[in-house]
Every structure is written in C-alpha cells, then in structure tokens.
Amino acid sequence: MTDHEPVPAVRETAEAIATMEIRGAATIADAAARALAAQAREGDYDDDAEAFRVSLRAAARTLHETRPTAVSLPNALRYVLRRMEGRTVEELRRNVVSATEAFVDQLDRAQEDLGQVGANRLADGDTVMTHCHSTDALACIEAAVQQGKSIEAVVKETRPRNQGHITAEQLREAGVPVTLIVDSAARRYLDDVDHVVVGADSIAADGGVINKVGTSGLAVNARERGVPIMTAAQTIKLHPETLTGHTVEIEMRAEEEVIDPGTRAAIGEITVENPAFDVTPPRYMDAIVTEHGQFPPESIVTLMRELFGEGADEPWAEP
Ligand code: RUB
C-alpha cells in the first residue's frame, strides 16, 4: 500500500456505493462519512500531518467518484473535511473522527425531526403512494403510525431495480398494509390515494426535486388527480452548487438493468437508455419537508442560502 492509497474500508465502501449495495442518498452519506473516519483511524501516517491530509483528500475523491447525482455524498465529504484541523496526526485523527460522529448523529436526528413534520401532513385513515425506497419518506409514514394514525400504502415497484420491494417490506414491518403495483398502474391507483410521499437525491435552488426516475411523471399525474405530493428530504439533500447556476448531473446506468443481453439481441438493433433520476419542477410538488419544517419548493432557496451561504468548495481537490 502506498502512502496515499485509501485504506480497504474506503475502497470497499466506494465499491458498495458504485454497485448500489449501499444506496439511497442518506445511507450513502452515512457510509461515506464513516469511511473517512476509517481512513483517519486505520491509515499509516508515520506522524506526518501532511500525509494524513493528502490521504484523507484522496479517500474523499475515491468516494466522490462513485455516483454523481445524490448531493448528500459531496455534502458529507465537505462536512468532515472542513473539520480536518490540527497540527499533529493525533489531533487531525481526533477531529476527523469526532466530525464524523457529529455528522452521523445529525443525519439520524434530522430524519427523526423531518419524520414528525411529514407525519403531520398525513391524516388518520390515509393511503399513501410511494416511489423507490427513501428512508426520509419512510420516516414520515412511520412517524404517522407512531402518532397512532392508521395508514395504508400503495407501493410502486420502481423499475428497473425494484427498490419498491424494500419499501414494501419495511412498511409491512412497521404494520402498514401494503399494495404493490407496477409503475404503469400508478395513475389508476392515484384515485385510491390521499398523499404521495417521495424522497430526494438532490434539491436545486429553484425547488426542482431530483429523485428516482419516474418521480416527475408521478408528480404530474398526482397534480392532475388532485392528490397532494410531498418530498421528504433532510437538508443534506440541498445542492449548494445550484445556487450559482450549476445543474445536477443525472446518472446514466447500464442497459443490462433494463433488458437482459439475450432479449436485447433477439430484438435487434435498438438503443437502450437507463437514466437513474429525473427532475420534478417545483410547480408539481406541494411541499418539501425538512428537519427545519416544511417549505413550498420555490422558497427552499432561502434555507439553502442560510445553510450553504459559504458556497460549495471542493476540499477533496488536490493537492
Ligand atoms: C434512491 C432514491 C431515493 C433517494 C432518497 O435511488 O431515489 O428516493 O435517494 O433516499 P437509488 P433517502 O436507489 O438509485 O440510490 O431518503 O433514503 O436518502
């Protein structure tokens, strides 16, 4: 192992994020922060503070390169690296590890707090519709159940990777009766639904919600059917670079997720595209629910300025 090569825990975490064994914006942020703590603890720096800093930045770059859309990943790296202070390796190590612990604690608390806010939007007897698997969205539904409300769920399977199956299982475990549907049946079932609850990978300064592909179509249909739709998203999903006009990169994934090679060969010469996320314009979203309360999507920029006014530097960049 060369001095600045990431420790195994960082390489394994990066691999698990890239292959989606670790997935979902909040879970990715949690894993990335913990990986930086492992780099701080397990790296061999030989009392060289500069070697420590260079290695931490290299580890952050390895993690950053895994998936492009969920801003929780760079936001987590930024949080920890900004607190990488100290003159000795021992001080640096202590500060990075305690920054990671504070970050992970904040994630948990934010999810609990936004769950209460989201739950207040749900009424006893409501049926909710979900898309993909979002721990922030689930926190709202589970908090409503804990408040004593009786909630049922219509769960979209969410092709191509069927994250809806995870949602179905977790809601069932929380005591919520679940009806699983194929994605194409969503509009039909919106007539039986009181609220749509989705998560977010990133939220842009204009209030656009970037989430699993299919969210925007669901939001348009929900508006047409008169069903309210909320995004549950802790503030780590706010994308600071969009404050200065940058757009959010939408991850394109392998075509094998959509169609197996044999079937594709039998069809003949076609193009297959597999975008993982899409953008829901703010006018189709009723509320963004965060740990600081709920916001109309168009006003989220005020919270973004308050929390990310310092901008979006890249503390992992070389040297
Ligand atoms: C997951 C997805 C989730 C958000 C929010 O996509 O779109 O809705 O990440 O999740 P993928 P959470 O499966 O491709 O990672 O609320 O858990 O952060």
Side-chain angles (χ1 to χ4, degrees):
M1 187 165 88
T2 66
D3 272 352
H4 307 317
E5 210 172 282
V7 298
V10 169
R11 280 185 274 122
E12 283 157 23
T13 302
E15 174 72 10
I17 294 172
T19 57
M20 290 179 63
E21 195 187 311
I22 294 173
R23 46 147 300 282
T27 310
I28 289 171
D30 178 279
R34 288 178 198 269
L36 286 185
Q39 179 68 47
R41 267 195 304 258
E42 294 159 24
D44 181 7
Y45 305 111
D46 212 11
D47 282 337
D48 181 346
E50 189 49 22
F52 181 100
R53 288 191 205 92
V54 171
S55 298
L56 263 282
R57 286 197 290 265
R61 279 198 299 280
T62 300
L63 294 160
H64 186 239
E65 281 157 14
T66 51
R67 293 190 78 190
T69 303
V71 74
S72 53
L73 174 55
N75 281 347
L77 301 174
R78 215 173 263 129
Y79 182 99
V80 176
L81 288 192
R82 275 185 183 154
R83 289 158 182 81
M84 181 169 69
E85 283 165 353
R87 279 175 302 105
T88 65
V89 167
E90 224 17 72
E91 274 172 26
L92 286 161
R93 190 172 271 143
R94 208 172 33 245
N95 288 337
V96 166
V97 169
S98 76
T100 304
E101 285 164 359
F103 178 79
V104 168
D105 266 15
Q106 269 181 39
L107 274 185
D108 291 346
R109 245 180 300 121
Q111 193 163 78
E112 233 176 273
D113 291 352
L114 77 83
Q116 295 301 325
V117 180
N120 292 338
R121 291 180 59 88
L122 302 177
D124 188 24
D126 270 2
T127 298
V128 298
M129 184 178 281
T130 63
H131 182 63
C132 198
H133 169 259
S134 155
T135 56
D136 283 351
L138 282 177
C140 300
I141 302 169
E142 285 165 4
V145 171
Q146 277 154 21
Q147 289 174 358
K149 293 171 183 163
S150 162
I151 305 286
E152 295 194 14
V154 175
V155 171
K156 293 178 72 210
E157 63 179 354
T158 319
R159 281 265 298 150
R161 293 185 64 113
N162 292 325
Q163 290 96 327
H165 294 182
I166 311 170
T167 302
E169 189 180 350
Q170 293 186 354
L171 284 175
R172 193 193 51 74
E173 281 166 7
V176 174
V178 168
T179 303
L180 183 73
I181 59 167
V182 298
D183 297 309
S184 335
R187 184 166 177 277
R188 151 78 181 74
Y189 281 89
L190 277 170
D191 290 337
D192 304 337
V193 159
D194 303 288
H195 220 116
V196 177
V197 189
V198 296
D201 288 85
S202 283
I203 293 180
D206 68 353
V209 171
I210 296 94
N211 191 46
K212 180 56 54 187
V213 68
T215 304
S216 64
L218 176 60
V220 171
N221 280 335
R223 178 58 50 82
E224 186 255 341
R225 304 314 285 166
V227 182
I229 173 166
M230 67 165 131
T231 295
Q234 43 188 301
T235 51
I236 193 172
K237 317 286 180 65
L238 302 180
H239 203 304
E241 286 175 41
T242 61
L243 281 169
T244 48
H246 292 278
T247 52
V248 178
E249 181 183 343
I250 300 292
E251 176 182 6
M252 298 300 286
R253 296 194 59 85
E255 59 187 54
E256 289 76 17
E257 289 185 348
V258 177
I259 189 166
D260 70 84
T263 312
R264 187 183 191 282
I267 293 171
E269 189 50 41
I270 54 166
T271 302
V272 179
E273 298 230 329
N274 185 18
F277 302 100
D278 66 18
V279 186
T280 302
R283 65 183 177 282
Y284 294 113
M285 190 58 66
D286 290 286
I288 296 175
V289 167
T290 78
E291 70 272 28
H292 294 282
Q294 67 167 356
F295 293 79
E298 291 83 357
S299 75
I300 203 72
V301 65
T302 54
L303 183 63
M304 203 180 278
R305 282 200 198 291
E306 195 181 303
L307 298 174
F308 293 97
E310 56 197 301
D313 57 341
E314 298 197 337
W316 49 83
E318 290 179 272

